[in-house]
């Protein structure tokens, strides 16, 4: 849903005559092929949503069972810088 919100935000900024990235920069916290095809292409974070969901579910189950829950977990990610954040 985050990538859809980024696209809606881009459309709203255009309606307000705000230029991306000249007037405001825009990025998404979830990458999607559609973000590459916007004008301008939107910067985004790439990560494996399946692994994130699995880890979150494991933590929830541990918490419900009264077991210790990891408070910090590092998962792989990559930031794709595109035109929406470049000046």
């Amino acid at each position: 849903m985050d990538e859809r919100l980024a696209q809606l935000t881009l459309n709203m900024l255009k309606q307000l005559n705000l230029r991306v990235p000249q007037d405001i920069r825009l990025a998404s916290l979830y990458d999607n092929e559609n973000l590459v095809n916007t004008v301008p292409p939107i910067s985004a974070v790439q990560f494996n949503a399946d692994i994130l969901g699995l880890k979150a579910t494991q933590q929830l189950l541990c918490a419900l069972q009264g077991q210790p829950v990891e408070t910090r977990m590092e998962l792989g990610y990559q930031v794709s810088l595109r035109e929406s954040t470049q000046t």
Side-chain angles (χ1 to χ4, degrees), residues 6-34:
Q7 290 174 324
L8 291 170
T9 301
L10 181 61
N11 292 338
M12 180 61 70
L13 292 170
K14 286 179 182 179
Q15 289 177 5
L16 295 171
N17 294 318
L18 291 170
R19 300 168 301 158
V20 175
Q22 296 87 346
D23 299 326
I24 190 167
R25 294 179 188 163
L26 178 62
S28 174
L29 290 175
Y30 184 75
D31 201 9
N32 180 296
E33 182 179 305
N34 295 331

Side-chain angles (χ1 to χ4, degrees), residues 55-71 73:
K55 295 292 186 181
T57 301
Q58 290 171 340
Q59 285 186 311
L60 178 60
L61 291 174
C62 285
L64 291 172
Q65 295 171 358
Q67 298 175 357
V69 177
E70 293 181 57
T71 57
M73 187 179 311

Side-chain angles (χ1 to χ4, degrees), residues 10 14 19-22 24 26 34-43 82-85:
L10 181 61
K14 286 179 182 179
R19 300 168 301 158
V20 175
Q22 296 87 346
I24 190 167
L26 178 62
N34 295 331
L35 298 180
V36 176
N37 298 319
T38 60
V39 179
I42 299 174
S43 295
R82 300 188 181 113
E83 290 177 37
S84 69
T85 56

